[in-house]
Amino acid sequence: GDGVGTYGYTNSGYSVYEEENERLTESLRTKVSAIKSLSIEIGTEVKNQNKMLSEMDNDFDSTGGLLGATMSRLRTLSRGSQTKLLCYMMLFAMFVFLVIYWIIKLR
């Protein structure tokens, strides 16, 4: 009979919906895993950037120490020849300019 035919029809309709559902679920799963890996990558990138920034801070701290040492060396030199002091000052100014230029270029 008729009932069996109807039952078969609804059964096949149900399986079509089920297949579609399965397909959507799969596509959703793929998208979710893509988003997950992307956020992991973003997290890693942020961590690396922060690490780089803190390293840069440390570099600047050591540069500060270096500047102090250079200045005291310049003071010692200033007891000697004025021309030498002028040359060192020029070199020092150029060094500072290059460092600043390099920092700006990095941003």
Side-chain angles (χ1 to χ4, degrees):
D2 201 39
V4 178
T6 313
Y7 177 73
Y9 171 76
T10 50
N11 192 27
S12 72
Y14 177 69
S15 75
V16 166
Y17 280 126
E18 205 172 346
E19 272 173 42
E20 179 72 11
N21 217 7
E22 205 64 38
R23 213 166 51 75
L24 287 172
T25 307
E26 194 50 50
S27 121
L28 197 65
R29 197 177 288 123
T30 312
K31 283 181 183 131
V32 166
S33 73
I35 289 170
K36 189 180 171 190
S37 68
L38 188 68
S39 25
I40 289 170
E41 277 172 37
I42 290 171
T44 311
E45 181 63 24
V46 167
K47 243 179 248 154
N48 288 342
Q49 293 280 346
N50 284 343
K51 197 172 138 219
M52 212 173 82
L53 284 175
S54 70
E55 277 170 11
M56 245 169 121
D57 281 351
N58 293 344
D59 286 350
F60 276 126
D61 288 347
S62 64
T63 308
L66 193 77
L67 286 184
T70 309
M71 287 315 252
S72 65
R73 216 172 284 133
L74 279 176
R75 261 184 236 108
T76 314
L77 277 171
S78 67
R79 297 199 186 101
S81 141
Q82 290 298 113
T83 325
K84 237 184 198 173
L85 177 68
L86 203 65
C87 284
Y88 275 102
M89 283 301 224
M90 290 291 282
L91 283 171
F92 179 70
M94 273 174 66
F95 168 76
V96 170
F97 174 78
L98 281 171
V99 168
I100 292 168
Y101 174 74
W102 182 68
I103 290 164
I104 291 167
K105 213 176 147 98
L106 269 185
R107 303 245 150 181

